[in-house]
Amino acid sequence: MVRGALAALSGLIAGLVALCVAELVSAAVRPEAGPVTAVGGAVIDRTPAPVKDFAVRNFGNDDKLVLQLGILALLAVFAMAVGVASLRYRKVASAAVLVFGAIGALAAVERPDGRLSDALPSVVGGLTACAVLYLLAGRLAFRPSPHGDRGTDGTTEDTNGTENAAASVDAQSPDAASVDAESVDAVTAGTDPGTFDRRGFVIAATAAAAASAGAGLLGRRLNASGAAEAAASRRTIVLPAPSSPARPVPAGADLKVRGLSSFTTPNKDFYRVDTALVVPRVDAGSWRLRIHGKGVTRPLTVDFQDLLQRKLIERDITLTCVSNEVGGPYVGNARWIGVPLADLLREAGVEPPSKGGRADQLVSRSVDGMTIGTPVEAVMDGRDAILAVGMNGEPLPFDHGFPVRMVVPGLYGYVSACKWLEDLELTTFADYDAYWVKRDWSREAPIKTQSRIDTPRPFASPKAGTVPVAGVAWAQHRGIERVEVRVDGGEWNPAKLAAEDSEDTWRQWMWEWPATSGSHTLEVRATDRDGDTQTDKRVGTVPNGATGWHSVVVAVD
Ligand SMILES: Nc1nc2c(c(=O)[nH]1)N[C@H]1C(S)=C(S)[C@@H](COP(=O)(O)O)O[C@H]1N2
Ligand SMILES: [Mo]
């Protein structure tokens, strides 16, 4: 019993050793190459579209933590099982640890941004853990009791490393040392069952745990210092004044209704959707962007200072995620500052397809291997497609793509808004499928006209009388023309529209509802400047965005 528990403990210690050593090695390679991050990332990469849709909606939040805790829990269970197995099958169990190292290594290398060196943390961690388990299992092996009748050669090491359960207890054989407790008990019933090297085990286990904790802490610290340098580089940035400032937000753009989303979304409240388990912390000082590919006559490499010295524009643009359900939260509006992307492309000699350009797809690549494909035509058709360096008056937050990201009005984020950008390649849609396109999402995805009721909340119980019904509507790059509200399937009532900031931003709306007591269903629909009214047909988010009317049920008092 005690031996069994100690064996499980050896497994856990081996697991700890693996993770801590891997953490230390990942500090030398890069933080994202750690086994838990790599396996978690590989899980995200392999998620099929409907689950991904769930994931993309949730990974921005605590689900990333849940995923990592899940991986750790599985690892712990496996580690204990291997530990227990190591009592009988010392070599096989120790070797099994290598399998897990190999899984971590493969996951790291197979990530979209994977390199061969990313295997190192898992490989070194796995090898160390394998050795530690082998050593600890050795301490737990029976050695003949000094007073017993089972031989006196004093062998405590499993020198020939047999893995059989050896029911035969040959006192002269070194195998005796690794014989399983129960079989020894059976054979030597009534005699001294022998002992194992308790003291040796405690010393070895403590040493392994302490050494790995030290390695882990050191790794943490090294990884954190990389992040600290990036943070320092962010703090020193002073964003220049834009040569083309955004016009001030019109006074009437915010209706200031209680419960209604503010017109500008503060950075801390801005939704976050990405596949990154570790938020990339790029040092702006060493950041470079390469522009190359089909039809590029002058390939460009620019650094952060180059970007800041260019003509900067400032614009309010509403970002939306394709995975936003009808009524969902994955939409936000910010004031971005950055370099017009079309300027850079023209400098590189790129022409849009309508002017004979050879590339119709611009693939943006991030430091974490995300790839996002955007139509070159859209980027160069005069809209404010920008390489953003600032968001709401500060350098981009790390979560939102520091130091540089793309923002293209009118296109869902997964086809336009690459964060932690490091590479722009001109190619064709025929030649290359970006990350989400490989996973069943559409190649091109303009944002669909949508509207959302922010207040009253579902199942609210306002008092009968005048109840403000309010929300936001968006149809980026077309603009919102009209919003209507109806109650219980009745007539559509025109809502009051807030002042328009630009056709690239959402628009608040409000309708004063003469509410009578009882349960009621509120519905909203928007019409864009092309004259198209939102369809009531409900479709899901896959493959290019949800449609349908948002509705809210309330119980008026
Ligand atoms: N590198 C990288 N960029 C990315 C993503 C990602 O997973 N990785 N997700 C995209 C998606 S799906 C959306 S909707 C937007 C969200 O941007 P935000 O997190 O700043 O709101 O970023 C886009 N850019
Ligand atoms: Mo998205």
Side-chain angles (χ1 to χ4, degrees):
M1 265 312 287
V2 176
R3 256 176 98 243
L6 291 180
L9 179 65
S10 329
L12 279 178
I13 291 174
L16 183 75
V17 165
L19 291 180
C20 290
V21 168
E23 176 82 22
L24 181 58
V25 178
S26 80
V29 180
R30 55 189 185 131
E32 298 87 330
V36 177
T37 308
V39 170
V43 170
I44 295 174
D45 292 341
R46 277 157 191 75
T47 315
V51 189
K52 173 265 162 185
D53 185 40
F54 167 85
V56 103
R57 273 185 273 118
N58 294 280
F59 280 158
N61 312 309
D62 299 339
D63 285 45
K64 279 180 175 157
L65 185 64
V66 171
L67 175 67
Q68 284 169 301
L69 289 179
I71 290 169
L72 284 177
L74 264 179
L75 199 63
V77 169
F78 172 82
M80 289 194 283
V82 167
V84 172
S86 73
L87 280 181
R88 266 175 191 250
Y89 310 104
R90 191 174 165 195
K91 274 194 173 165
V92 173
S94 306
V97 172
L98 293 179
V99 172
F100 265 61
I103 291 173
L106 253 179
V109 173
E110 285 277 290
R111 298 257 23 232
D113 57 334
R115 317 157 197 175
L116 210 52
S117 61
D118 288 348
L120 269 180
S122 293
V123 167
V124 179
L127 282 171
T128 321
C130 166
V132 165
L133 185 63
Y134 189 78
L135 185 117
L136 291 179
R139 304 295 118 180
L140 289 178
F142 275 116
R143 58 177 177 183
S145 155
H147 321 294
D149 53 1
R150 294 174 48 238
T152 52
D153 67 31
T155 307
T156 56
E157 290 300 305
D158 178 8
T159 47
N160 77 349
T162 182
E163 282 110 30
N164 71 42
S168 74
V169 180
D170 176 0
Q172 300 312 310
S173 158
D175 293 3
S178 64
V179 165
D180 169 73
E182 276 68 40
S183 38
V184 172
D185 287 349
V187 174
T188 62
T191 66
D192 187 334
T195 58
F196 62 90
D197 184 8
R198 263 170 216 268
R199 199 162 158 267
F201 178 83
V202 171
I203 292 172
T206 311
S212 69
L217 287 175
L218 182 62
R220 266 281 136 92
R221 168 141 319 162
L222 292 174
N223 275 330
S225 79
E229 273 166 37
S233 82
R234 184 174 179 275
R235 271 194 301 275
T236 57
I237 290 168
V238 180
L239 293 177
S243 49
S244 166
R247 62 186 194 105
V249 174
D254 213 316
L255 296 172
K256 303 254 157 55
V257 176
R258 240 183 112 118
L260 172 57
S261 310
S262 59
F263 176 74
T264 300
T265 314
N267 290 353
K268 66 172 178 24
D269 300 333
F270 208 94
Y271 82 91
R272 175 185 160 204
V273 169
D274 55 59
T275 57
L277 284 175
V278 173
V279 173
R281 307 224 165 219
V282 180
D283 188 329
S286 51
W287 178 86
R288 298 284 182 281
L289 170 70
R290 215 160 73 85
I291 303 178
H292 60 107
K294 269 202 184 68
V296 173
T297 52
R298 292 175 295 274
L300 285 180
T301 300
V302 293
D303 65 22
F304 194 72
Q305 285 309 320
D306 284 346
L307 275 194
L308 292 191
Q309 278 152 24
R310 284 162 187 270
K311 178 194 127 190
L312 298 180
I313 63 172
E314 180 189 52
R315 297 290 182 268
D316 293 335
I317 298 167
T318 299
L319 224 62
T320 309
C321 182
V322 69
S323 291
N324 193 46
E325 305 257 28
V326 172
Y330 298 107
V331 51
N333 181 52
R335 175 157 284 197
W336 309 92
I337 182 167
V339 175
L341 186 48
D343 287 1
L344 276 170
L345 294 184
R346 270 190 295 269
E347 203 175 306
V350 177
E351 293 278 11
S354 60
K355 295 211 177 105
R358 289 202 290 135
D360 61 1
Q361 179 175 217
L362 174 66
V363 173
S364 45
R365 221 172 244 107
S366 71
V367 300
D368 66 331
M370 173 54 63
T371 51
I372 285 181
T374 311
V376 174
E377 198 63 50
V379 168
M380 302 188 80
D381 72 359
R383 74 182 77 194
D384 292 316
I386 50 188
L387 291 187
V389 293
M391 179 179 186
N392 290 330
E394 53 172 305
L396 290 178
F398 288 108
D399 282 357
H400 297 290
F402 182 83
V404 179
R405 78 174 303 170
M406 280 189 28
V407 175
V408 183
L411 307 180
Y412 285 119
Y414 86 104
V415 289
S416 70
C418 191
K419 306 194 275 188
W420 314 296
L421 180 68
E422 70 170 2
D423 189 275
L424 287 173
E425 181 177 357
L426 280 296
T427 178
T428 63
F429 281 104
D431 280 348
Y432 185 78
D433 283 339
Y435 186 89
W436 289 119
V437 175
K438 290 195 185 92
R439 292 161 177 81
D440 299 340
W441 294 77
S442 299
R443 289 201 167 81
E444 300 200 32
I447 297 173
K448 295 177 182 178
T449 301
Q450 266 295 341
S451 50
R452 183 179 77 193
I453 300 170
D454 284 354
T455 182
R457 308 288 304 163
F459 310 114
S461 44
K463 292 246 172 307
T466 303
V467 173
V469 179
V472 282
W474 59 90
Q476 289 93 319
H477 212 54
R478 297 183 296 280
I480 289 290
E481 174 72 32
R482 185 165 69 244
V483 173
E484 297 158 294
V485 185
R486 70 176 184 180
V487 185
D488 301 327
E491 291 292 296
W492 287 103
N493 306 281
K496 172 186 165 188
L497 282 179
E500 181 173 61
D501 179 71
S502 89
E503 62 182 16
D504 294 336
T505 57
W506 62 10
R507 217 165 157 184
Q508 295 185 351
W509 55 267
M510 201 263 277
W511 177 62
E512 295 194 327
W513 173 31
T516 55
S517 56
S519 172
H520 298 289
T521 303
L522 297 163
E523 284 174 296
V524 64
R525 69 175 188 193
T527 301
D528 63 29
R529 284 268 161 74
D530 290 348
D532 294 326
T533 301
Q534 257 181 269
T535 169
D536 66 332
K537 191 164 163 259
R538 280 249 172 190
V539 305
T541 54
V542 185
N544 55 21
T547 63
W549 297 332
H550 186 212
S551 68
V552 164
V553 176
V554 295
V556 179
D557 252 357

